[in-house]
Amino acid sequence: MNFSTISAPCTASFIEKRSEFIAALAPVQTPEEAIAHVNAIREQHRKARHNPYAYILRADNTTRYSDDGEPQGTAGTPILDVLQKQGLTDVCCVVTRYFGGILLGGGGLVRAYSHAASLSVSAAVRMEMCACRTLELTVDYTLYGKLTFALPQFSVIIRNTDFGDCVTMTLLVLEEKFEPLCAHLTNLTCGAITYNQLDEGYADFSSVLSLATEE
């Protein structure tokens, strides 16, 4: 199953009625990594009274959140809601609040924590992680031009091209396009191509998928 996450930690902040809200979003894969991120932010902002957080993990479809002393439902839940609406997983967002002396009220807090989390998501570099297979294929030089023309039609990622006695290419191929690609290339080269599937897994296809969408 494909999923969306982020490539690296990022932060974003804004001020609402003198209170500063600082959102720290990070990629995590386990509850331990998520809590470590929360604790690191708490240590970084020891003078702040509140560090609500939320995280979503692919493993066991885990979701957790905390208001960290804010009125119930005004902090952790809005942060989690932003992550879910953005379709992100394997992420943890902590929003630090430095109180500015003016009460925001329940609705104001919900809007502020939601906005801070949204800002951090906007600042992040997203990754569209897709199920794929690593394919190694070998052809004669006379067929290389045909391959370079055909491969973009299948949204592949070219990992390596070796120009030896023949041309050997290593590709990442989306799971659903693997069989159609092999059939197309076999037909295109009249069978003068060899394949070697190396492994299966997930990879970030955001760049090639965005190009396909633009076309």
Side-chain angles (χ1 to χ4, degrees):
M1 183 177 179
N2 299 341
F3 63 96
S4 299
T5 187
I6 64 172
S7 63
C10 65
T11 60
S13 64
F14 81 105
I15 294 175
E16 176 69 18
K17 294 182 180 178
R18 299 181 185 177
S19 285
E20 184 177 17
F21 293 83
I22 306 169
L25 182 66
V28 295
Q29 294 186 335
T30 65
E32 291 76 18
E33 289 181 3
I35 295 304
H37 174 59
V38 173
N39 289 336
I41 298 302
R42 283 175 173 165
E43 178 64 21
Q44 181 180 344
H45 297 287
R46 283 178 290 180
K47 294 184 179 181
R49 294 177 60 185
H50 306 288
N51 289 281
Y53 66 85
Y55 63 84
I56 303 176
L57 305 176
R58 278 197 308 142
D60 300 322
N61 295 314
T62 302
T63 59
R64 295 287 187 276
Y65 62 88
S66 169
D67 293 312
D68 195 34
E70 294 283 31
Q72 185 175 0
T74 63
T77 301
I79 297 170
L80 178 63
D81 187 54
V82 168
L83 299 181
Q84 290 176 327
K85 287 182 177 178
Q86 289 295 322
L88 292 173
T89 190
D90 283 352
V91 291
C92 177
C93 183
V94 186
V95 180
T96 299
R97 178 194 182 195
Y98 284 98
F99 183 52
I102 300 176
L103 296 176
L104 300 182
L109 287 174
V110 170
R111 289 189 293 273
Y113 280 108
S114 295
H115 184 56
S118 295
L119 288 176
S120 69
V121 171
S122 296
V125 176
R126 292 178 69 115
M127 297 195 301
E128 301 303 324
M129 304 299 291
C130 301
C132 63
R133 302 187 197 182
T134 304
L135 176 67
E136 183 182 79
L137 52 84
T138 303
V139 295
D140 185 83
Y141 278 88
T142 59
L143 297 171
Y144 177 61
K146 288 186 176 182
L147 258 64
T148 57
F149 179 78
L151 290 176
Q153 303 173 44
F154 291 86
S155 302
V156 303
I157 296 175
I158 301 175
R159 278 289 178 86
N160 184 59
T161 304
D162 180 36
F163 298 99
D165 294 334
C166 295
V167 180
T168 300
M169 304 180 72
T170 304
L171 317 172
L172 295 180
V173 186
L174 292 167
E175 180 68 36
E176 65 271 19
K177 295 191 177 184
F178 184 82
E179 296 297 339
L181 172 65
C182 291
H184 181 72
L185 295 184
T186 298
N187 181 64
L188 185 67
T189 62
C190 298
I193 185 171
T194 58
Y195 303 102
N196 181 25
Q197 182 182 323
L198 302 180
D199 55 32
E200 301 179 6
Y202 285 86
D204 178 21
F205 275 77
S206 53
S207 59
V208 292
L209 292 177
S210 63
L211 288 175
T213 301
E214 291 174 5
E215 294 174 356

